[in-house]
Coordinates of all heavy atoms in Angstrom, one line a residue:
M1 N 114.3 86.0 100.5 CA 112.9 85.9 100.4 C 112.5 84.5 100.1 O 111.5 84.0 100.6 CB 112.4 86.9 99.3 CG 110.9 86.9 99.2 SD 110.3 88.0 97.9 CE 109.3 86.8 97.0
L2 N 113.1 83.9 99.1 CA 112.7 82.5 98.7 C 112.9 81.5 99.9 O 112.0 80.7 100.2 CB 113.5 82.0 97.6 CG 113.3 82.8 96.3 CD1 114.3 82.4 95.2 CD2 111.9 82.7 95.8
R3 N 113.9 81.7 100.7 CA 114.1 80.9 101.9 C 113.0 81.1 102.9 O 112.5 80.2 103.6 CB 115.5 81.1 102.5 CG 116.6 80.4 101.8 CD 117.9 80.6 102.6 NE 118.2 82.0 102.2 CZ 119.4 82.5 102.3 NH1 120.4 81.8 102.7 NH2 119.7 83.7 101.9
K4 N 112.6 82.4 103.1 CA 111.5 82.7 104.0 C 110.2 82.0 103.5 O 109.5 81.5 104.4 CB 111.4 84.2 104.1 CG 110.4 84.6 105.2 CD 110.9 84.3 106.5 CE 110.1 84.9 107.6 NZ 110.5 84.4 109.0
L5 N 109.9 82.1 102.3 CA 108.7 81.5 101.8 C 108.7 80.0 102.1 O 107.7 79.4 102.6 CB 108.6 81.7 100.3 CG 108.2 83.1 99.8 CD1 108.2 83.1 98.2 CD2 106.8 83.5 100.3
K6 N 109.9 79.4 101.8 CA 110.0 77.9 102.1 C 109.9 77.6 103.5 O 109.2 76.7 103.9 CB 111.4 77.4 101.5 CG 111.5 75.9 101.6 CD 112.8 75.5 101.0 CE 112.9 74.0 101.1 NZ 114.2 73.5 100.4
S7 N 110.5 78.4 104.4 CA 110.4 78.2 105.9 C 109.0 78.3 106.4 O 108.7 77.7 107.4 CB 111.4 79.1 106.6 OG 110.9 80.4 106.7
L8 N 108.2 79.1 105.7 CA 106.8 79.3 106.2 C 105.9 78.2 105.5 O 104.7 78.2 105.8 CB 106.3 80.7 105.8 CG 107.0 81.8 106.6 CD1 106.6 83.2 106.0 CD2 106.7 81.8 108.0
G9 N 106.4 77.4 104.6 CA 105.6 76.4 103.9 C 104.8 77.0 102.8 O 103.8 76.4 102.5
L10 N 105.2 78.1 102.3 CA 104.4 78.8 101.2 C 105.0 78.4 99.9 O 106.2 78.3 99.7 CB 104.5 80.3 101.4 CG 103.8 80.8 102.7 CD1 104.1 82.3 102.8 CD2 102.4 80.5 102.8
S11 N 104.1 78.2 98.9 CA 104.5 77.9 97.5 C 105.1 79.1 96.8 O 104.5 80.2 96.9 CB 103.3 77.3 96.8 OG 103.6 77.2 95.4
R12 N 106.2 78.9 96.1 CA 106.7 80.0 95.3 C 105.8 80.4 94.2 O 105.7 81.5 93.7 CB 108.1 79.6 94.7 CG 109.1 79.5 95.8 CD 110.4 78.9 95.2 NE 111.5 78.9 96.1 CZ 111.8 77.9 97.0 NH1 111.0 76.9 97.1 NH2 112.8 78.0 97.8
D13 N 104.9 79.4 93.7 CA 104.0 79.7 92.7 C 102.9 80.7 93.2 O 102.2 81.4 92.3 CB 103.3 78.4 92.2 CG 104.2 77.5 91.5 OD1 105.2 78.0 90.9 OD2 104.0 76.3 91.6
D14 N 102.7 80.8 94.5 CA 101.7 81.7 95.0 C 102.3 83.1 95.2 O 101.5 84.0 95.6 CB 101.2 81.2 96.4 CG 100.4 79.9 96.2 OD1 99.8 79.7 95.1 OD2 100.3 79.2 97.2
C15 N 103.6 83.3 95.0 CA 104.1 84.6 95.1 C 103.9 85.4 93.9 O 104.3 85.1 92.8 CB 105.7 84.5 95.4 SG 106.5 86.1 95.4
V16 N 103.1 86.5 94.0 CA 102.6 87.2 92.8 C 103.3 88.6 92.7 O 103.1 89.2 91.7 CB 101.1 87.4 92.8 CG1 100.4 86.0 92.6 CG2 100.6 88.1 94.0
G17 N 104.0 89.0 93.7 CA 104.7 90.3 93.6 C 105.5 90.6 94.8 O 105.4 89.9 95.9
F18 N 106.5 91.5 94.6 CA 107.3 92.0 95.7 C 107.8 93.4 95.4 O 107.9 93.8 94.2 CB 108.5 91.1 96.0 CG 109.3 90.8 94.7 CD1 110.5 91.5 94.5 CD2 108.9 89.8 93.8 CE1 111.2 91.3 93.4 CE2 109.7 89.5 92.7 CZ 110.9 90.3 92.5
G19 N 108.1 94.2 96.4 CA 108.5 95.6 96.2 C 110.0 95.7 96.5 O 110.6 95.0 97.3
T20 N 110.7 96.6 95.8 CA 112.1 96.9 95.9 C 112.3 98.4 95.7 O 111.6 99.0 95.1 CB 112.9 96.0 94.9 OG1 114.3 96.4 95.1 CG2 112.5 96.2 93.5
D21 N 113.5 98.8 96.2 CA 113.8 100.2 96.0 C 114.4 100.5 94.7 O 114.6 101.7 94.3 CB 114.8 100.7 97.1 CG 116.1 100.0 97.1 OD1 116.3 99.2 96.2 OD2 116.9 100.2 98.0
G22 N 114.7 99.5 93.9 CA 115.2 99.7 92.5 C 116.7 99.9 92.4 O 117.2 100.2 91.3
C23 N 117.4 99.6 93.4 CA 118.9 99.7 93.4 C 119.4 98.6 92.4 O 118.8 97.6 92.2 CB 119.5 99.6 94.7 SG 119.4 98.0 95.5
S24 N 120.6 98.8 92.0 CA 121.2 97.9 91.0 C 121.4 96.4 91.5 O 121.2 95.5 90.7 CB 122.6 98.4 90.5 OG 123.5 98.5 91.5
V25 N 121.6 96.3 92.8 CA 121.7 95.0 93.4 C 120.4 94.2 93.2 O 120.4 93.0 93.1 CB 122.1 95.1 94.9 CG1 122.0 93.7 95.6 CG2 123.5 95.6 95.0
M26 N 119.3 94.9 93.2 CA 118.0 94.3 93.1 C 117.6 94.1 91.6 O 117.1 93.0 91.3 CB 116.9 95.1 93.8 CG 117.1 95.2 95.3 SD 117.0 93.6 96.1 CE 115.2 93.2 95.9
I27 N 117.8 95.1 90.8 CA 117.2 95.0 89.4 C 118.1 94.7 88.3 O 117.7 94.6 87.2 CB 116.4 96.3 89.1 CG1 117.3 97.5 89.1 CG2 115.3 96.5 90.2 CD1 116.6 98.7 88.6
S28 N 119.4 94.6 88.6 CA 120.4 94.3 87.5 C 120.1 92.8 86.9 O 119.3 92.1 87.4 CB 121.8 94.3 87.9 OG 122.1 93.3 88.8
E29 N 120.7 92.6 85.8 CA 120.5 91.2 85.1 C 120.8 90.1 86.1 O 120.3 89.0 85.9 CB 121.3 91.2 83.8 CG 120.6 92.0 82.7 CD 119.2 91.5 82.4 OE1 119.0 90.3 82.2 OE2 118.3 92.4 82.3
K30 N 121.8 90.3 87.0 CA 122.1 89.2 87.9 C 121.6 89.5 89.3 O 122.0 88.9 90.3 CB 123.6 89.1 87.9 CG 124.2 88.6 86.6 CD 125.7 88.3 86.7 CE 126.2 87.9 85.3 NZ 127.6 87.6 85.3
G31 N 120.7 90.5 89.4 CA 120.2 90.9 90.7 C 119.1 90.0 91.3 O 118.8 88.9 90.8
A32 N 118.7 90.4 92.5 CA 117.8 89.5 93.3 C 116.4 89.4 92.6 O 115.9 88.3 92.7 CB 117.6 90.2 94.7
V33 N 116.0 90.4 91.8 CA 114.7 90.2 91.2 C 114.7 89.1 90.2 O 113.8 88.2 90.2 CB 114.3 91.5 90.4 CG1 113.1 91.3 89.5 CG2 114.1 92.6 91.4
K34 N 115.8 89.0 89.4 CA 115.9 87.9 88.4 C 116.0 86.5 89.1 O 115.4 85.5 88.7 CB 117.1 88.1 87.5 CG 117.1 89.3 86.7 CD 116.0 89.2 85.6 CE 116.1 90.4 84.7 NZ 115.0 90.5 83.8
E35 N 116.7 86.5 90.2 CA 116.9 85.2 91.0 C 115.5 84.8 91.6 O 115.2 83.6 91.5 CB 117.9 85.4 92.1 CG 119.3 85.6 91.6 CD 119.8 84.4 90.7 OE1 119.6 83.2 91.1 OE2 120.3 84.7 89.6
I36 N 114.8 85.7 92.1 CA 113.4 85.4 92.7 C 112.5 84.9 91.5 O 111.8 83.9 91.7 CB 112.9 86.6 93.4 CG1 113.6 86.9 94.7 CG2 111.4 86.4 93.7 CD1 113.3 88.2 95.3
Q37 N 112.5 85.6 90.4 CA 111.6 85.3 89.3 C 112.0 83.9 88.7 O 111.1 83.3 88.1 CB 111.6 86.4 88.3 CG 110.9 87.6 88.8 CD 110.9 88.8 87.9 OE1 111.9 89.0 87.1 NE2 109.9 89.6 88.0
K38 N 113.2 83.4 88.8 CA 113.6 82.1 88.3 C 112.7 81.1 89.0 O 112.3 80.0 88.4 CB 115.1 81.8 88.6 CG 116.0 82.5 87.6 CD 117.4 82.1 88.0 CE 118.4 82.9 87.2 NZ 119.8 82.6 87.6
E39 N 112.5 81.2 90.3 CA 111.8 80.2 91.1 C 110.3 80.6 91.4 O 109.5 79.8 91.7 CB 112.5 80.0 92.5 CG 113.9 79.4 92.3 CD 114.5 79.0 93.7 OE1 113.7 78.5 94.5 OE2 115.7 79.2 93.8
A40 N 110.0 81.9 91.3 CA 108.6 82.4 91.6 C 108.2 83.1 90.3 O 108.2 84.3 90.2 CB 108.6 83.3 92.8
S41 N 107.9 82.3 89.2 CA 107.6 82.9 87.9 C 106.5 83.8 87.9 O 106.4 84.6 87.0 CB 107.5 81.7 86.9 OG 106.4 80.9 87.3
N42 N 105.5 83.7 88.8 CA 104.4 84.6 88.8 C 104.7 86.0 89.5 O 103.8 86.9 89.4 CB 103.2 84.0 89.5 CG 102.7 82.7 88.8 OD1 102.7 82.7 87.6 ND2 102.3 81.7 89.5
A43 N 105.8 86.1 90.1 CA 106.2 87.3 90.9 C 106.5 88.5 90.0 O 107.3 88.4 89.1 CB 107.3 87.0 91.8
V44 N 105.8 89.5 90.2 CA 106.0 90.8 89.5 C 106.7 91.8 90.4 O 106.2 92.0 91.5 CB 104.7 91.4 88.9 CG1 104.9 92.7 88.3 CG2 104.0 90.4 88.0
M45 N 107.8 92.4 90.0 CA 108.5 93.4 90.8 C 107.8 94.8 90.6 O 107.4 95.1 89.5 CB 109.9 93.4 90.4 CG 110.8 94.3 91.2 SD 110.8 96.1 91.0 CE 111.4 96.3 89.3
T46 N 107.6 95.4 91.7 CA 107.2 96.9 91.6 C 108.1 97.7 92.5 O 108.6 97.2 93.5 CB 105.7 97.0 92.0 OG1 105.3 98.3 91.9 CG2 105.5 96.6 93.5
H47 N 108.3 98.9 92.2 CA 109.1 99.8 93.0 C 108.4 100.1 94.3 O 107.1 100.2 94.3 CB 109.4 101.1 92.3 CG 110.5 100.9 91.2 ND1 111.8 100.8 91.5 CD2 110.4 100.8 89.9 CE1 112.5 100.6 90.4 NE2 111.6 100.6 89.4
C48 N 109.1 100.2 95.4 CA 108.5 100.5 96.7 C 108.1 102.0 96.7 O 108.9 102.8 96.6 CB 109.5 100.2 97.8 SG 109.0 100.7 99.4
Y49 N 106.8 102.2 96.8 CA 106.3 103.6 96.8 C 106.7 104.4 98.0 O 106.9 105.6 98.0 CB 104.9 103.6 96.5 CG 104.6 103.2 95.0 CD1 104.1 102.0 94.7 CD2 105.0 104.1 94.0 CE1 103.9 101.6 93.4 CE2 104.8 103.7 92.6 CZ 104.3 102.5 92.4 OH 104.1 102.1 91.1
S50 N 106.8 103.7 99.1 CA 107.3 104.4 100.4 C 108.7 104.9 100.2 O 109.0 106.0 100.7 CB 107.2 103.4 101.6 OG 105.9 103.0 101.8
H51 N 109.6 104.1 99.6 CA 110.9 104.5 99.3 C 111.0 105.7 98.4 O 111.7 106.7 98.6 CB 111.8 103.3 98.8 CG 113.2 103.6 98.6 ND1 114.1 103.5 99.7 CD2 113.9 104.0 97.6 CE1 115.3 103.8 99.3 NE2 115.2 104.2 98.0
K52 N 110.2 105.6 97.3 CA 110.1 106.8 96.4 C 109.6 108.0 97.1 O 110.1 109.1 96.8 CB 109.2 106.4 95.2 CG 109.8 105.5 94.2 CD 108.9 105.4 93.0 CE 109.6 104.7 91.9 NZ 108.9 104.7 90.6
L53 N 108.6 107.9 97.9 CA 108.1 109.0 98.6 C 109.1 109.6 99.5 O 109.3 110.9 99.6 CB 106.8 108.6 99.5 CG 106.2 109.7 100.3 CD1 105.7 110.9 99.5 CD2 105.1 109.1 101.2
N54 N 109.9 108.8 100.2 CA 110.9 109.3 101.1 C 111.9 110.1 100.3 O 112.4 111.1 100.7 CB 111.6 108.2 101.8 CG 112.6 108.6 102.8 OD1 112.3 109.4 103.7 ND2 113.8 108.1 102.7
N55 N 112.3 109.6 99.1 CA 113.3 110.2 98.3 C 112.8 111.6 97.8 O 113.5 112.6 97.8 CB 113.7 109.4 97.1 CG 114.6 108.2 97.4 OD1 115.2 108.3 98.5 ND2 114.6 107.2 96.6
V56 N 111.5 111.6 97.4 CA 110.9 112.9 96.9 C 110.9 113.9 98.0 O 111.3 115.1 97.8 CB 109.5 112.7 96.4 CG1 108.8 113.9 96.2 CG2 109.6 111.8 95.1
I57 N 110.4 113.5 99.2 CA 110.4 114.4 100.4 C 111.8 114.9 100.7 O 112.0 116.2 100.9 CB 109.7 113.7 101.6 CG1 108.2 113.5 101.3 CG2 109.9 114.6 102.8 CD1 107.5 112.6 102.3
S58 N 112.7 114.1 100.8 CA 114.1 114.5 101.2 C 114.7 115.4 100.1 O 115.5 116.3 100.5 CB 115.0 113.3 101.4 OG 115.2 112.6 100.2
Q59 N 114.4 115.2 98.8 CA 114.9 116.1 97.8 C 114.2 117.4 97.7 O 114.7 118.4 97.2 CB 114.9 115.4 96.4 CG 115.7 114.2 96.4 CD 117.2 114.6 96.6 OE1 117.7 115.6 96.0 NE2 117.9 113.8 97.4
S60 N 112.9 117.4 98.1 CA 112.1 118.7 98.0 C 112.2 119.6 99.1 O 111.9 120.8 99.0 CB 110.6 118.3 97.8 OG 110.1 117.7 99.0
S61 N 112.7 119.2 100.2 CA 112.8 120.1 101.4 C 114.3 120.6 101.5 O 115.1 120.1 102.2 CB 112.4 119.4 102.7 OG 113.3 118.2 102.9
K62 N 114.5 121.7 100.7 CA 115.9 122.2 100.7 C 116.1 123.4 101.6 O 117.1 124.1 101.7 CB 116.3 122.6 99.3 CG 116.4 121.4 98.4 CD 117.5 120.5 98.8 CE 117.6 119.3 97.9 NZ 118.4 118.2 98.4
D63 N 115.0 123.7 102.4 CA 115.0 124.7 103.4 C 116.1 124.4 104.4 O 116.1 123.3 105.0 CB 113.6 124.9 104.0 CG 113.5 126.1 105.0 OD1 114.3 126.1 106.0 OD2 112.7 127.0 104.7
K64 N 117.0 125.3 104.7 CA 118.1 125.0 105.7 C 117.6 124.6 107.0 O 118.2 123.7 107.7 CB 119.0 126.2 105.7 CG 120.4 125.9 106.3 CD 121.1 125.0 105.3 CE 122.5 124.7 105.8 NZ 123.0 123.5 105.1
I65 N 116.6 125.2 107.5 CA 116.0 124.8 108.9 C 115.6 123.4 108.9 O 115.8 122.6 109.8 CB 114.9 125.8 109.3 CG1 115.4 127.2 109.5 CG2 114.1 125.3 110.5 CD1 114.4 128.2 109.7
I66 N 114.9 123.0 107.8 CA 114.3 121.6 107.7 C 115.6 120.7 107.6 O 115.6 119.7 108.3 CB 113.4 121.5 106.5 CG1 112.1 122.3 106.8 CG2 113.1 120.0 106.3 CD1 111.2 122.3 105.6
E67 N 116.5 121.0 106.8 CA 117.7 120.1 106.6 C 118.4 120.0 108.0 O 118.8 118.8 108.3 CB 118.7 120.7 105.6 CG 118.3 120.5 104.2 CD 119.4 121.0 103.2 OE1 120.6 120.8 103.5 OE2 119.0 121.7 102.3
N68 N 118.6 121.0 108.7 CA 119.3 121.0 110.0 C 118.5 120.2 111.0 O 119.1 119.3 111.7 CB 119.5 122.4 110.6 CG 120.5 123.2 109.8 OD1 121.3 122.6 109.0 ND2 120.5 124.5 109.9
T69 N 117.2 120.3 111.0 CA 116.4 119.6 111.9 C 116.4 118.0 111.6 O 116.6 117.2 112.5 CB 114.9 120.0 111.9 OG1 114.8 121.4 112.2 CG2 114.0 119.2 112.8
V70 N 116.4 117.7 110.3 CA 116.5 116.3 109.9 C 117.8 115.7 110.3 O 117.9 114.6 110.8 CB 116.2 116.1 108.4 CG1 116.5 114.7 108.0 CG2 114.7 116.5 108.2
D71 N 118.9 116.5 110.1 CA 120.3 116.1 110.4 C 120.3 115.8 112.0 O 120.9 114.8 112.4 CB 121.3 117.1 110.0 CG 121.5 117.1 108.5 OD1 121.1 116.2 107.9 OD2 122.1 118.1 108.0
V72 N 119.8 116.7 112.8 CA 119.9 116.5 114.2 C 119.1 115.2 114.6 O 119.5 114.5 115.4 CB 119.3 117.7 115.0 CG1 119.1 117.5 116.5 CG2 120.2 118.9 114.8
M73 N 117.9 115.0 114.0 CA 117.1 113.9 114.3 C 117.8 112.6 113.9 O 117.8 111.6 114.7 CB 115.7 113.9 113.6 CG 114.8 114.9 114.3 SD 113.1 114.8 113.7 CE 113.3 115.3 112.0
K74 N 118.5 112.6 112.8 CA 119.3 111.4 112.4 C 120.4 111.1 113.4 O 120.7 109.9 113.7 CB 119.9 111.6 111.0 CG 118.9 111.5 109.9 CD 119.6 111.7 108.5 CE 118.5 111.6 107.4 NZ 119.2 111.9 106.1
E75 N 121.0 112.1 113.9 CA 122.1 111.9 114.9 C 121.5 111.3 116.2 O 122.1 110.5 116.9 CB 122.8 113.2 115.2 CG 123.8 113.6 114.1 CD 124.5 114.9 114.5 OE1 124.7 115.2 115.6 OE2 124.8 115.7 113.5
I76 N 120.4 111.8 116.6 CA 119.8 111.4 117.9 C 119.0 110.1 117.8 O 119.1 109.2 118.7 CB 118.8 112.5 118.5 CG1 119.7 113.7 118.8 CG2 118.1 112.0 119.6 CD1 118.9 114.9 119.2
C77 N 118.2 109.9 116.8 CA 117.4 108.7 116.6 C 117.3 108.2 115.2 O 116.3 108.2 114.6 CB 116.0 109.0 117.2 SG 115.1 110.4 116.4
N78 N 118.5 107.8 114.7 CA 118.5 107.3 113.4 C 117.8 105.9 113.3 O 118.2 105.0 114.0 CB 120.0 107.1 112.9 CG 120.1 106.8 111.5 OD1 119.2 107.1 110.7 ND2 121.3 106.4 111.0
T79 N 116.8 105.8 112.4 CA 116.0 104.6 112.4 C 115.8 104.2 110.9 O 116.1 104.9 110.0 CB 114.7 104.8 113.0 OG1 113.9 105.8 112.3 CG2 114.8 105.1 114.5
R80 N 115.3 103.0 110.7 CA 114.9 102.6 109.4 C 113.8 103.5 108.9 O 113.0 104.1 109.7 CB 114.4 101.1 109.4 CG 115.5 100.2 109.7 CD 115.0 98.7 109.8 NE 114.3 98.3 108.5 CZ 114.9 97.8 107.5 NH1 116.2 97.6 107.5 NH2 114.3 97.5 106.4
W81 N 113.5 103.6 107.5 CA 112.6 104.5 107.0 C 111.2 104.3 107.6 O 110.5 105.2 108.0 CB 112.5 104.4 105.5 CG 111.7 105.4 104.9 CD1 112.0 106.7 104.5 CD2 110.2 105.3 104.7 NE1 111.0 107.3 104.0 CE2 109.8 106.6 104.1 CE3 109.3 104.4 104.8 CZ2 108.6 106.9 103.8 CZ3 108.0 104.7 104.5 CH2 107.6 106.0 104.0
V82 N 110.8 103.0 107.7 CA 109.4 102.7 108.2 C 109.2 103.1 109.7 O 108.1 103.3 110.1 CB 109.1 101.2 108.1 CG1 109.0 100.8 106.6 CG2 110.1 100.4 108.8
E83 N 110.3 103.3 110.4 CA 110.2 103.8 111.8 C 110.4 105.3 112.0 O 110.2 105.8 113.1 CB 111.2 103.0 112.6 CG 111.1 101.5 112.6 CD 109.8 101.1 113.3 OE1 109.3 101.7 114.2 OE2 109.3 100.0 112.9
Q84 N 110.6 106.0 110.9 CA 111.0 107.4 111.0 C 109.8 108.2 111.6 O 110.0 109.2 112.3 CB 111.4 108.0 109.7 CG 112.9 107.6 109.4 CD 113.4 108.2 108.1 OE1 112.6 108.9 107.4 NE2 114.6 108.0 107.8
H85 N 108.6 107.8 111.2 CA 107.4 108.6 111.7 C 107.4 108.6 113.2 O 107.3 109.6 113.9 CB 106.1 108.0 111.2 CG 104.9 108.7 111.7 ND1 104.2 108.2 112.7 CD2 104.3 109.9 111.3 CE1 103.1 109.1 113.0 NE2 103.2 110.0 112.1
D86 N 107.6 107.3 113.8 CA 107.7 107.2 115.3 C 108.8 108.0 115.8 O 108.7 108.6 116.9 CB 107.7 105.7 115.7 CG 106.5 105.0 115.4 OD1 105.4 105.6 115.3 OD2 106.5 103.8 115.3
G87 N 110.0 108.0 115.1 CA 111.2 108.7 115.6 C 110.9 110.2 115.6 O 111.3 110.9 116.6
V88 N 110.3 110.7 114.6 CA 109.9 112.1 114.5 C 109.0 112.5 115.7 O 109.2 113.5 116.4 CB 109.3 112.6 113.2 CG1 108.8 114.0 113.3 CG2 110.4 112.4 112.1
L89 N 108.0 111.7 115.9 CA 107.1 111.9 117.1 C 107.8 111.9 118.4 O 107.6 112.8 119.3 CB 105.9 110.9 117.1 CG 104.9 111.0 115.9 CD1 103.9 109.9 116.0 CD2 104.2 112.4 115.9
Q90 N 108.7 110.9 118.6 CA 109.4 110.8 119.8 C 110.4 112.0 120.0 O 110.5 112.6 121.1 CB 110.2 109.6 119.9 CG 110.9 109.3 121.2 CD 109.9 109.1 122.3 OE1 108.9 108.3 122.1 NE2 110.0 109.8 123.4
F91 N 111.0 112.4 118.9 CA 111.9 113.6 118.9 C 111.1 114.9 119.3 O 111.6 115.6 120.1 CB 112.6 113.8 117.5 CG 113.5 115.0 117.5 CD1 114.8 114.8 117.9 CD2 113.1 116.2 117.0 CE1 115.7 115.9 117.9 CE2 114.0 117.2 116.9 CZ 115.3 117.1 117.4
T92 N 109.9 115.0 118.7 CA 109.1 116.2 119.0 C 108.7 116.2 120.5 O 108.8 117.3 121.2 CB 107.9 116.2 118.2 OG1 108.3 116.1 116.8 CG2 107.0 117.4 118.4
T93 N 108.4 115.0 121.0 CA 108.0 114.9 122.4 C 109.2 115.2 123.4 O 109.0 115.9 124.4 CB 107.4 113.5 122.7 OG1 106.3 113.3 121.9 CG2 107.0 113.4 124.2
D94 N 110.4 114.7 123.0 CA 111.5 114.8 123.9 C 112.3 116.1 123.6 O 113.3 116.4 124.3 CB 112.4 113.6 123.7 CG 111.8 112.3 124.2 OD1 110.8 112.4 125.0 OD2 112.3 111.3 123.7
M95 N 112.0 116.9 122.6 CA 112.8 118.1 122.3 C 113.0 119.0 123.4 O 114.2 119.5 123.6 CB 112.1 118.8 121.1 CG 112.8 120.1 120.6 SD 114.3 119.5 119.8 CE 114.7 121.0 119.0
P96 N 112.0 119.4 124.3 CA 112.4 120.3 125.4 C 113.5 119.7 126.3 O 114.4 120.5 126.7 CB 111.0 120.4 126.1 CG 110.0 120.1 125.2 CD 110.6 119.1 124.2
E97 N 113.4 118.4 126.6 CA 114.5 117.8 127.5 C 115.8 117.8 126.8 O 116.9 117.9 127.4 CB 114.1 116.4 127.9 CG 113.0 116.4 129.0 CD 111.7 115.8 128.5 OE1 111.8 115.1 127.5 OE2 110.7 116.1 129.1
I98 N 115.8 117.5 125.5 CA 117.1 117.5 124.7 C 117.7 118.9 124.7 O 118.9 119.0 125.0 CB 116.8 117.1 123.2 CG1 116.3 115.6 123.2 CG2 118.0 117.3 122.3 CD1 115.8 115.2 121.8
V99 N 116.9 119.9 124.5 CA 117.5 121.3 124.5 C 117.9 121.7 125.9 O 119.1 122.3 126.0 CB 116.4 122.3 124.0 CG1 116.8 123.7 124.3 CG2 116.1 122.1 122.6
E100 N 117.2 121.3 126.9 CA 117.6 121.6 128.3 C 118.9 120.9 128.6 O 119.8 121.4 129.3 CB 116.6 121.1 129.3 CG 116.8 121.6 130.7 CD 115.6 121.3 131.6 OE1 114.4 121.6 131.2 OE2 115.8 120.8 132.7
A101 N 119.1 119.7 128.1 CA 120.3 118.9 128.5 C 121.6 119.5 127.8 O 122.7 119.3 128.3 CB 120.1 117.5 128.0
L102 N 121.3 120.1 126.7 CA 122.5 120.8 125.9 C 122.9 122.0 126.6 O 123.9 122.5 126.6 CB 122.1 121.0 124.5 CG 121.7 119.8 123.6 CD1 121.3 120.2 122.2 CD2 122.9 118.9 123.5

């Protein structure tokens, strides 16, 4: 992140926040958050709410049909979290052809 700021000609002092999923690589004492805050002292870390929402949804849907559908979608169109909405829409649109092909 710091290299990207520099490459864009942006001041580290103007960095006031960034989001992370909260994994140990990011938030440990030697993690990325501490490294970023060494150079961007105004930067405040916040947990990524999209990541939290994804975790809550995936943990709350224990219905076997939903689990199976999600598993099939992952096999067919595994994408990054931010692209999953588009992937679900595409899967829904293409579902008849997928079933026919099987």
Side-chain angles (χ1 to χ4, degrees):
M1 181 183 128
L2 296 172
R3 280 182 286 203
K4 187 65 173 177
L5 288 175
K6 186 175 182 178
S7 74
L8 295 171
L10 299 173
S11 168
R12 289 170 174 90
D13 294 331
D14 293 335
C15 179
V16 294
F18 56 96
T20 176
D21 62 3
C23 68
S24 61
V25 171
M26 293 299 289
I27 64 171
S28 70
E29 284 302 311
K30 295 182 180 182
V33 170
K34 298 290 184 191
E35 292 302 311
I36 291 168
Q37 289 175 329
K38 283 179 188 176
E39 294 188 41
S41 58
N42 296 322
V44 176
M45 187 279 298
T46 185
H47 286 281
C48 174
Y49 291 106
S50 293
H51 187 81
K52 282 188 170 189
L53 176 62
N54 186 53
N55 288 338
V56 167
I57 291 169
S58 66
Q59 294 299 315
S60 66
S61 59
K62 294 300 180 190
D63 186 298
K64 199 63 178 164
I65 293 172
I66 294 172
E67 282 185 45
N68 291 343
T69 302
V70 170
D71 287 344
V72 169
M73 285 190 296
K74 284 181 181 177
E75 286 180 31
I76 292 172
C77 54
N78 193 16
T79 63
R80 295 179 55 87
W81 189 88
V82 294
E83 299 294 330
Q84 284 182 357
H85 179 262
D86 291 337
V88 169
L89 291 177
Q90 189 64 49
F91 181 82
T92 304
T93 302
D94 294 342
M95 182 67 163
E97 286 114 20
I98 292 168
V99 170
E100 190 175 312
L102 298 174

